[in-house]
């Protein structure tokens, strides 16, 4: 195969600096013009690694950012001159094509892990996000700091995956990849804490939903295991005694939506296994739940026009069986309950602070944050206005778990080290993590159900058509 030589005219700009010949070897997927994998470049030793990469990019027809140059087992530094990297005449340099999407995913994964750790470490001085998980008796289960980091990492990875599943994106491949990352992170958590929340159940449903959308059939063993796991976690969660009738109604909506997805996925699985009776049985159960959750468009629009958020309107109508008046009252009471919980949480934290600082009560009183200030601080932390972060500050929570609101920094607890300005990259990373978290713990059930109904109709039609042909 004839080598292709490219003259790089850099000698004129570099005086009498030495010019060398470099042999470039590229893998098959990096073939350039004429399907060649071997090339020759003549270049001055005062040129940088970036200069050489630019020439190689022209030869192999790959963007510069997707190329790594390897010489004697190490990557060439893009900023240093070749002379400082021990490049000699007739040196052999290997081209490695970079998968930029994979690299970005690795970078994202690394940032999420580091960000979760930073957010929890803010803790003692900033009264960190406290993952308040309750058991089946509604008793608070204390979570150690190490476990908070693990759970928060898993939660952010799950939410990142769900972001790719949104109707406007529907990037099922990337969603599935981050779901697997989240699954690995949940696997590192202590199961004594994880068993009280339904995140694992929802995650298994999401994985199977991505398989279905990608038309990838998991093994029957995997599909069975995931659906059984999902049902176990969901049943454990919804068997908890609720604190009020209103919370019971809210949980009823959550349960219906999640089990709607469970029945659809069981139906799809049975369809693939040619178990038509079992498939139809699950699809009929899913249809019944769809009917119970269906919304009247006019009532929904009326509630939205009256100042309710999209999520509030859906939740209110579904919790109240479509009764417009009851839905308004339901949401009003829900708002009052959330606000009272926020105030109670703030009061409890303030009382604890005052006990700790009893020796300096005047100083404490002068610096204690008021509730509206707490919301403003949360807004600054998230990079949003106080009005935009009220709901986020009150409702940052694990799916299915009971979690206290995101607390504001308390100046009386800030150490001297934390009074200094934190590195900008840490602040940016913490802000990124907070933005990845759901503003409300019920965001995972804020669904129009159009996609679920479409899947249901598609598979029901297939089953009915197959029976007709027989």
């Amino acid at each position: 195969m004839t080598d292709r030589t490219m003259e790089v005219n850099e000698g004129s700009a570099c005086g009498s600096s030495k010019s060398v010949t470099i042999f470039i070897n590229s893998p098959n997927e990096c073939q350039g013009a004429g399907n060649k994998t071997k090339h020759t470049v003549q270049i001055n030793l005062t040129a940088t690694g970036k200069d050489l990469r630019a020439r190689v990019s022209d030869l192999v027809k790959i963007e510069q950012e997707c190329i790594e140059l390897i010489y004697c087992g190490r990557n060439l530094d893009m900023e240093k001159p070749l002379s400082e990297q021990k490049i000699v005449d007739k040196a052999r340099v290997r081209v490695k094509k970079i998968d930029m999407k994979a690299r970005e995913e690795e970078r994202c994964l690394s940032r999420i892990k580091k960000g979760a750790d930073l957010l929890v470490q803010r803790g003692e001085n900033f009264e960190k996000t406290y993952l308040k998980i309750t058991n089946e008796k509604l008793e608070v289960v204390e979570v150690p700091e190490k476990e908070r980091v693990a759970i928060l990492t898993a939660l952010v990875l799950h939410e990142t995956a769900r972001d790719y599943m949104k109707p406007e994106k529907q990037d099922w491949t990337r969603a599935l990849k981050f779901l697997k990352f989240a699954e690995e992170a949940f696997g590192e958590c202590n199961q004594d804490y994880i068993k009280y929340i339904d995140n694992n159940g929802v995650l298994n449903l999401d994985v199977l939903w991505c398989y279905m959308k990608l038309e990838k059939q998991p093994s029957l063993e995997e599909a069975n295991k995931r659906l059984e796991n999902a049902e176990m976690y969901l049943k454990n969660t919804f068997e908890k005694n609720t604190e009020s009738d209103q919370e019971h109604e809210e949980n009823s909506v959550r349960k219906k939506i999640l089990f709607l997805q469970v029945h659809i996925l069981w139906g799809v699985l049975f369809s693939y296994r040619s178990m038509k009776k079992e498939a139809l049985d699950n699809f009929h159960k899913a249809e019944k739940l769809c009917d119970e959750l269906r919304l009247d468009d006019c009532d929904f629009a009326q509630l939205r026009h009256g100042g309710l958020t999209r999520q509030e309107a859906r939740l209110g109508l579904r919790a109240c069986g479509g009764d417009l008046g009851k839905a308004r009252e339901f949401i009003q009471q829900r708002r009052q309950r959330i606000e009272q919980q926020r105030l109670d949480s703030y009061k409890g934290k303030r009382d604890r602070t005052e006990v700790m600082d009893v020796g300096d009560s005047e100083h404490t009183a002068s610096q204690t944050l008021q509730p509206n200030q707490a919301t403003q601080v949360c807004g600054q932390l998230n990079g949003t206005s106080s009005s935009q972060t009220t709901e986020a500050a009150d409702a940052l929570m694990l799916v299915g778990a009971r979690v206290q609101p995101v607390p504001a920094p308390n100046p009386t607890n800030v150490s001297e080290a934390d009074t200094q300005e934190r590195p900008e990259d840490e602040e940016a990373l913490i802000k990124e993590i907070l933005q990845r978290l759901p503003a409300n713990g019920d965001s995972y059930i804020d669904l129009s159900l159009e996609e679920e109904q479409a899947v249901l109709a598609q598979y029901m039609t297939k089953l009915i058509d197959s029976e007709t042909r027989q």
Side-chain angles (χ1 to χ4, degrees):
M1 184 178 290
T2 304
D3 289 349
R4 179 183 176 192
T5 303
M6 173 173 280
E7 298 289 342
V8 182
N9 185 18
E10 298 186 4
S12 60
C14 305
S16 59
S17 298
K18 184 178 179 181
S19 182
V20 297
T21 298
I22 298 177
F23 298 110
I24 306 297
N25 295 328
S26 59
N28 291 333
E29 66 267 23
C30 297
Q31 292 176 352
N35 292 328
K36 294 174 180 173
T37 58
K38 293 184 179 180
H39 308 275
T40 304
V41 172
Q42 194 170 27
I43 192 168
N44 201 288
L45 286 176
T46 58
T48 64
K50 186 181 292 184
D51 295 327
L52 177 59
R53 185 178 67 176
R55 303 306 176 186
V56 171
S57 173
D58 289 338
L59 288 171
V60 300
K61 307 304 179 186
I62 298 175
E63 294 182 5
Q64 295 183 43
E65 293 75 14
C66 297
I67 290 176
E68 281 184 354
L69 299 178
I70 302 172
Y71 176 62
C72 292
R74 69 178 188 277
N75 288 351
L76 288 182
D77 190 314
M78 294 297 102
E79 304 303 324
K80 290 183 179 180
L82 298 177
S83 59
E84 294 182 14
Q85 304 190 61
K86 300 182 180 180
I87 292 288
V88 297
D89 191 33
K90 297 182 180 179
R92 294 187 179 278
V93 174
R94 182 165 62 89
V95 178
K96 180 180 178 181
K97 185 178 179 181
I98 303 169
D99 185 339
M100 294 303 292
K101 182 176 286 189
R103 174 167 287 189
E104 177 59 27
E105 288 169 355
E106 289 175 5
R107 189 189 75 87
C108 180
L109 183 61
S110 176
R111 285 179 64 81
I112 286 173
K113 289 180 177 178
K114 182 180 178 182
D117 187 50
L118 284 172
L119 188 59
V120 171
Q121 282 183 10
R122 283 200 158 198
E124 301 310 319
N125 299 326
F126 283 86
E127 295 187 319
K128 56 188 161 285
T129 304
Y130 182 72
L131 303 180
K132 183 181 176 184
I133 300 175
T134 60
N135 60 21
E136 65 278 358
K137 297 179 181 178
L138 296 180
E139 298 168 338
V140 174
V141 179
E142 297 296 338
V143 183
E145 179 176 304
K146 180 181 178 181
E147 292 302 322
R148 284 198 297 269
V149 174
I151 293 173
L152 184 58
T153 299
L155 175 63
V156 176
L157 287 168
H158 192 181
E159 289 303 322
T160 302
R162 292 188 65 81
D163 184 62
Y164 287 121
M165 295 173 67
K166 289 180 178 178
E168 62 269 23
K169 294 184 179 180
Q170 294 197 347
D171 188 340
W172 304 108
T173 300
R174 297 197 78 181
L176 183 59
K177 184 163 290 189
F178 275 93
L179 286 171
K180 294 298 183 69
F181 289 153
E183 191 168 48
E184 291 175 8
F186 274 121
E188 295 174 4
C189 299
N190 188 322
Q191 296 306 302
D192 288 341
Y193 305 115
I194 295 300
K195 68 183 180 182
Y196 294 119
I197 59 178
D198 66 3
N199 289 77
N200 256 334
V202 175
L203 187 144
N204 277 289
L205 294 181
D206 288 341
V207 169
L208 290 174
W209 200 266
C210 285
Y211 280 149
M212 180 181 65
K213 300 301 289 187
L214 290 168
E215 298 183 350
K216 293 175 63 175
Q217 293 187 31
S219 68
L220 295 180
E221 181 182 359
E222 179 187 355
N224 269 303
K225 184 177 179 181
R226 287 191 179 280
L227 280 170
E228 288 171 358
N229 180 282
E231 285 191 289
M232 178 191 71
Y233 277 103
L234 296 178
K235 286 177 179 177
N236 285 345
T237 299
F238 292 115
E239 282 175 1
K240 291 181 182 180
N241 296 317
T242 51
E243 297 176 354
S244 67
D245 290 341
Q246 188 178 60
E247 287 183 319
H248 175 76
E249 291 168 338
E250 290 181 31
N251 272 338
S252 176
V253 176
R254 299 185 186 102
K255 183 176 181 180
K256 286 178 181 179
I257 289 178
L258 291 172
F259 275 92
L260 164 63
Q261 295 173 348
V262 168
H263 289 308
I264 289 176
L265 289 168
W266 272 122
V268 171
L269 177 61
F270 286 131
S271 295
Y272 285 134
R273 297 169 66 177
S274 298
M275 298 172 66
K276 296 179 182 179
K277 181 179 181 301
E278 291 80 358
L280 284 171
D281 182 52
N282 276 277
F283 286 145
H284 288 319
K285 289 178 181 178
E287 280 186 321
K288 183 175 183 295
L289 289 171
C290 272
D291 290 339
E292 293 175 7
L293 293 165
R294 188 170 284 111
L295 302 177
D296 182 277
D297 291 340
C298 292
D299 290 344
F300 178 77
Q302 193 169 339
L303 289 178
R304 293 283 284 124
H305 184 71
L308 272 64
T309 66
R310 181 187 63 188
Q311 181 175 311
E312 286 177 330
R314 283 177 178 162
L315 178 60
L317 286 171
R318 285 169 175 163
C320 299
D323 189 304
L324 195 60
K326 288 183 178 179
R328 288 197 187 95
E329 184 180 352
F330 176 89
I331 294 302
Q332 183 60 33
Q333 291 176 356
R334 184 174 185 269
R335 287 179 174 181
Q336 291 172 356
R337 190 185 78 242
I338 291 174
E339 175 65 13
Q340 187 59 51
Q341 289 173 346
R342 185 177 70 86
L343 292 173
D344 290 345
S345 175
Y346 162 75
K347 183 179 182 300
K349 293 177 184 299
R350 182 180 62 182
D351 291 345
R352 289 195 298 274
T353 299
E354 290 173 349
V355 170
M356 291 173 62
D357 296 325
V358 67
D360 191 13
S361 58
E362 291 184 4
H363 178 71
T364 300
S366 67
Q367 295 197 17
T368 300
L369 291 176
Q370 297 303 315
N372 62 330
Q373 292 174 297
T375 302
Q376 291 170 3
V377 174
C378 253
Q380 294 166 5
L381 194 62
N382 281 283
T384 57
S385 68
S386 59
S387 61
Q388 290 172 316
T389 55
T390 300
E391 185 177 2
D394 293 339
L396 179 59
M397 60 190 298
L398 282 172
V399 176
R402 303 193 181 277
V403 186
Q404 288 184 357
V406 177
N410 191 327
T412 61
N413 260 353
V414 177
S415 68
E416 184 176 345
D418 282 317
T419 59
Q420 301 175 6
E421 186 176 356
R422 285 178 172 266
E424 289 185 10
D425 58 338
E426 285 193 9
E427 291 296 330
L429 184 53
I430 289 174
K431 177 181 176 181
E432 177 185 327
I433 296 303
L434 289 172
Q435 289 175 337
R436 286 180 182 273
L437 288 165
N440 187 287
D442 283 338
S443 60
Y444 71 111
I445 61 166
D446 182 27
L447 306 173
S448 67
L449 301 184
E450 291 178 0
E451 186 176 348
E452 286 76 4
Q453 289 169 344
V455 171
L456 191 56
Q458 174 189 349
Y459 279 89
M460 285 284 285
T461 301
K462 285 182 179 179
L463 285 175
I464 294 171
D465 287 347
S466 65
E467 284 188 340
T468 302
R469 286 195 297 270
Q470 290 178 357

